[in-house]
Amino acid sequence: MVSLPGFGTLSGVKHERTAAEKSMVLRLDIFLMTFGCISQVIKYLDQQNINNAYVSGMKEDLNLYGNELNYFTTYFNIAYCIMLIPSQIILTYVRPSYWLSGLELLWGMMTGLIALAKNAKQVYVLRAFLGLCESSAWPGMMTLFMHWYTPTELAKRMGFYHSCQAVGSMMSGALQVAVINTLEGKNGLAGWRWLFIINAIITVVWGFFGFFMIPDLPNRPNPRAFWFTKADAALSMERLQRHNRAEPKGMTWAGAKRTFSSWVVYFIAILYIACVLASAGYGYFSLFLKSLKNADGTKVWSVSAINAIPIGGSAIQVVFVWTWALLSDCFGTRWTLIIAQAVIGLIPCIIMSIWTLHPNKVALPAVYASYFISYICLGTAPLIMSWLSDLLPQDPEARTLIVGVTIAGYYAIAAWSQVLVWPAVQAPFYKYGWQSALALWVLVIIMTCTLRYIDTKYMLPKRLAYARQMRSESDAHAGEDVGSEDVERDDLEADPDSKATSKVTAKRLGMKKTVTVN
């Protein structure tokens, strides 16, 4: 196999997919992707609705006149951060169809209970439990995608999945508008309370479908996944071997030690955190709209308009997340598109930094434009995760932990930085918000170029050596296993879910267990 220099993968020889492989990938998209995407929409709907509820009557009903909104996010982030890495480890031992679906049922219940809250303290507790349950969703699905999709398929799926955050945000605003117009005061409940009730019902119902739609792992398929056949299991393992990827395995102390002794986990974590924090300004668009007043002191925008206008930004986010992901797989590059987003992100940061200090020197339309431009730069996460999969195809344990550490690190920092950098009491003139975002985008550009250099210079040769080793062992096993083919086929058909079968399948395909690449 030959490496694609711009891609960081080892699949330079184009493989023509068979009809069976195309059928399996299509079914993965229909079931795994559909469950993941709708679950992500619901997850982000639950998260985003706290902001929509705040500007739609929750603030006044619960007397939230301080930084309570920031603390709602802080308590959620702390709990999310605490549970995230344990959740990733548990995911390597407990079937994803059990773990991810079960937690979705629990967070649906927590969402519904927020509708009954009487004060901020109750919301703090519920938001913390919500964070514990939701911590598994995004990193868990991203990890599953790395096991099931090939390098030329991965970024598109990750991008589509990630864009569902924006879809959830759009639905949240639209749903809030609909609730305000139709359910406000129904049965004595405020519209924002109905919003959480509706969210809870949707979440619990959808969570049940995960027990059948999630295929679990290529070497341990879900027996309840009626759409996934024995032939699909063998083909999935062959796809791992073809792209020089080690099969999934339970987390071990050796794997954890190997991961944390490597520089990759820390570099990827910092890069990801910098990207997400740099683009955080878009999330305060609604507070900017709420702060605007006419000359006579009346509000420029109604509650419905405040919820509806950011939907346009979310639509921009969806389009560009898809665009960045499609370009990544099409042209075989991750790093150049991360830099492109960072450069675009500098524009609103500069404009808003000037407007914050000198409001009269920047026209209001430029401020609106800056918020909308900010949505263009929200496609870095799928590219970074796809790049991680390219960098460490031979180490699924490291990938699983790095995803967990990266997201946990972000939430650990966001838990306190949001209050300091984007305090609600300063809205919309944040003292440090846009300036810090500008500095972070510059850091992203520097780190991305650095990682690209290290990858090309040092990591790519090791991946090539690993690929050659896998290929030679695969050829050797192909000759050794001819005599035992019938026995192994009988084992496979007898118990496709057993650990022994996994080992047999790996042996037949010449799979190599995890090796270290630092």
Side-chain angles (χ1 to χ4, degrees):
M1 286 191 176
V2 181
S3 171
L4 287 176
F7 205 13
T9 69
L10 299 165
S11 52
V13 177
K14 183 175 178 59
H15 171 77
E16 294 295 335
R17 295 192 302 181
T18 64
E21 184 173 357
K22 291 178 181 178
S23 174
M24 189 195 71
V25 173
L26 177 61
R27 279 179 280 118
L28 281 173
D29 291 341
I30 292 174
F31 290 95
L32 175 61
M33 281 293 299
T34 297
F35 177 81
C37 288
I38 294 180
S39 178
Q40 180 70 356
V41 168
I42 294 171
K43 174 180 178 291
Y44 206 73
L45 191 66
D46 294 341
Q47 291 184 12
Q48 188 69 18
N49 276 343
I50 198 72
N51 294 320
N52 289 328
Y54 182 83
V55 298
S56 302
M58 186 181 191
K59 175 180 179 180
E60 292 74 16
D61 289 353
L62 302 187
N63 297 313
L64 310 177
Y65 293 104
N67 283 326
E68 289 88 353
L69 179 62
N70 294 108
Y71 291 127
F72 291 159
T73 302
T74 298
Y75 280 100
F76 177 92
N77 289 349
I78 291 174
Y80 194 105
C81 177
I82 290 173
M83 188 61 187
L84 207 153
I85 295 177
S87 177
Q88 283 291 91
I89 296 174
I90 292 171
L91 198 61
T92 66
Y93 289 98
V94 178
R95 288 187 177 278
S97 56
Y98 285 143
W99 185 246
L100 298 179
S101 303
L103 289 179
E104 183 156 350
L105 295 178
L106 289 176
W107 95 55
M109 298 175 191
M110 296 300 106
T111 300
L113 290 175
I114 296 178
L116 305 178
K118 303 298 183 183
N119 54 59
K121 290 183 179 180
Q122 293 177 354
V123 180
Y124 293 153
V125 173
L126 291 171
R127 289 285 292 176
F129 278 106
L130 197 62
L132 289 175
C133 295
E134 290 192 16
S135 63
S136 64
W138 195 93
M141 290 302 298
M142 284 291 189
T143 302
L144 284 183
F145 292 158
M146 293 181 189
H147 295 319
W148 286 105
Y149 290 108
T150 66
T152 56
E153 300 165 350
L154 188 59
K156 290 189 289 289
R157 271 71 179 186
M158 285 186 170
F160 193 87
Y161 174 72
H162 186 68
S163 71
C164 291
Q165 292 184 357
V167 175
S169 180
M170 294 166 65
M171 287 184 61
S172 180
L175 185 59
Q176 185 65 37
V177 172
V179 167
I180 290 295
N181 293 335
T182 60
L183 293 178
E184 178 66 38
K186 186 77 170 180
N187 295 329
L189 294 178
W192 65 267
R193 294 184 187 273
W194 277 110
L195 184 63
F196 289 111
I197 293 173
I198 295 171
N199 287 355
I201 294 173
I202 296 173
T203 304
V204 171
V205 170
W206 187 248
F208 281 107
F209 286 96
F211 293 108
F212 309 96
M213 297 180 71
I214 298 175
D216 289 337
L217 301 172
N219 57 348
R220 196 183 178 206
N222 181 358
R224 297 173 308 281
F226 59 90
W227 54 273
F228 194 82
T229 67
K230 296 174 184 178
D232 292 333
L235 179 57
S236 299
M237 294 296 291
E238 190 274 329
R239 278 159 55 90
L240 287 178
Q241 189 271 341
R242 185 197 312 153
H243 292 279
N244 308 296
R245 276 162 160 66
E247 66 175 287
K249 60 183 294 187
M251 189 63 61
T252 62
W253 282 111
K257 182 179 179 180
R258 182 175 63 251
T259 301
F260 288 107
S261 63
S262 170
W263 60 271
V264 179
V265 60
Y266 308 105
F267 198 100
I268 292 292
I270 294 173
L271 175 61
Y272 178 90
I273 292 168
C275 283
V276 178
L277 292 181
S279 60
Y282 82 98
Y284 301 92
F285 194 11
S286 60
L287 294 183
F288 161 72
L289 297 172
K290 186 179 178 68
S291 70
L292 297 177
K293 294 183 179 180
N294 296 310
D296 60 0
T298 59
K299 294 185 178 296
V300 173
W301 302 108
S302 66
V303 171
S304 295
I306 292 173
N307 285 297
I309 293 174
I311 294 177
S314 297
I316 294 173
Q317 178 183 352
V318 170
V319 171
F320 276 92
V321 168
W322 290 354
T323 300
W324 298 123
L326 289 169
L327 290 175
S328 178
D329 280 351
C330 180
F331 292 103
T333 181
R334 318 292 194 202
W335 72 284
T336 53
L337 300 176
I338 295 173
I339 291 178
Q341 292 179 73
V343 171
I344 294 173
L346 293 174
I347 298 173
C349 290
I350 294 172
I351 295 174
M352 294 302 293
S353 295
I354 297 173
W355 179 74
T356 298
L357 298 175
H358 308 286
N360 296 328
K361 293 186 178 181
V362 178
L364 202 57
V367 178
Y368 280 99
S370 295
Y371 274 106
F372 282 114
I373 292 173
S374 297
Y375 287 89
I376 297 176
C377 313
L378 299 178
T380 55
L383 301 185
I384 292 174
M385 292 301 161
S386 298
W387 200 2
L388 169 62
S389 184
D390 298 337
L391 293 172
L392 299 174
Q394 74 291 334
D395 200 340
E397 290 176 284
R399 293 200 308 266
T400 299
L401 275 180
I402 291 173
V403 172
V405 169
T406 297
I407 309 303
Y410 162 70
Y411 276 94
I413 293 176
W416 54 267
S417 66
Q418 300 283 50
V419 179
L420 296 178
V421 181
W422 305 96
V425 293
Q426 290 183 7
F429 301 105
Y430 302 102
K431 189 174 182 180
Y432 303 110
W434 294 102
Q435 294 89 333
S436 63
L438 191 152
L440 286 170
W441 279 129
V442 173
L443 176 63
V444 167
I445 294 172
I446 295 172
M447 291 190 69
T448 302
C449 292
T450 302
L451 181 58
R452 167 60 179 170
Y453 174 78
I454 295 173
D455 179 29
T456 304
K457 186 75 173 179
Y458 301 103
M459 301 181 72
L460 179 58
K462 294 181 180 180
R463 292 200 300 277
L464 286 169
Y466 175 77
R468 287 191 291 269
Q469 182 180 1
M470 283 195 69
R471 180 58 58 191
S472 61
E473 293 185 2
S474 176
D475 293 341
H477 280 302
E480 293 173 2
D481 293 345
V482 171
S484 59
E485 184 77 9
D486 294 335
V487 175
E488 293 172 357
R489 183 182 297 108
D490 292 340
D491 289 341
L492 178 64
E493 294 175 350
D495 187 6
D497 195 39
S498 69
K499 293 182 179 179
T501 299
S502 173
K503 293 178 180 178
V504 167
T505 305
K507 181 182 178 184
R508 288 176 60 187
L509 295 172
M511 294 294 294
K512 171 79 173 174
K513 295 296 183 181
T514 302
V515 300
T516 303
V517 177
N518 290 325

